[in-house]
Amino acid sequence: MLKKLIKYDFLWMNRNMVIIFAITAILSILTRIASNYTDSAMGDLIFSILRGFTIAAFANVVINSVIRIWERFRQSFYKDEAYLTHTLPVSKNTLYDSKTLSGLGAIVLSLLVVIACFFIAFWNHDMYEYFRSVFKDGDMSFIVLGIFVTAALEVIYAVNVGMFSLTVGHRSNNGRIARSVVLGIFLYFALQSVLLAVIYGIGMFDDSIKAMFGDASDVVIGFSTYRTLIIICDCLYLVITAALYLAGRKIFSKGVNVE
């Protein structure tokens, strides 16, 4: 049953995303075509405009994917569809897991679309040479891949903040959306502050990290510092995201107030 729920949720989340994916792909193709005509002032202007639209489309893909995950969570558990959802012969934990796993799949798909469209729009020989030189260096390749992983974890973390906030907010009898939004914003920035505080605290025992806060300017910041920082951030994101998932799942299993 879990597999069927994941499949159904995944298809719902990406049903309208296909249009956004297509627009992003078209913009990427147009940007690629325009990049061949930058010798003239007008051609360069058109390329610059299309490049800006394409980059904005990349962000739009990820943002809309996150919103669709939240909307699916709300529609399925708390709106009219909830009367059917909660009669299914599965546990509350299974229902919550289906949204979490299908949401994870939707995020992965959106990131793959962004990566593919990035290559369509901007990949050229100079970029190939740049990345080839980067991946010849173990430290640089770790940092580049690490930044991408951190960005992906940041998005997954945001998704779980939203799901947790919707779960808590909808336990109220009124003002559910407002409570969910306020709680989500508060949690997002509060947990980011905790993340920063933990990094700063670790910096008290590591001068290279401390130097990034300007408290040890005589210390040289090298690749090992960035490597350590990326590992710390990724681990903290994983721990916090897991905590949000488990807490939301536990609260959800106690019961649901359908609108």
Side-chain angles (χ1 to χ4, degrees), residues 189-220:
F189 288 105
L191 293 176
Q192 291 286 12
S193 298
V194 170
L195 182 68
L196 185 62
V198 170
I199 294 173
Y200 185 81
I202 294 174
M204 300 297 291
F205 305 95
D206 188 328
D207 287 340
S208 61
I209 293 179
K210 188 176 182 180
M212 301 187 76
F213 292 90
D215 294 337
S217 56
D218 57 326
V219 177
V220 177

Side-chain angles (χ1 to χ4, degrees), residues 100-137:
T100 302
L101 293 173
S102 57
L104 179 61
I107 291 300
V108 171
L109 176 60
S110 68
L111 292 176
L112 289 175
V113 169
V114 169
I115 292 172
C117 289
F118 172 84
F119 276 94
I120 292 172
F122 303 116
W123 189 254
N124 55 35
H125 180 71
D126 291 338
M127 192 171 291
Y128 166 75
E129 290 297 331
Y130 171 76
F131 277 104
R132 190 176 71 166
S133 63
V134 164
F135 285 104
K136 281 184 177 179
D137 187 323

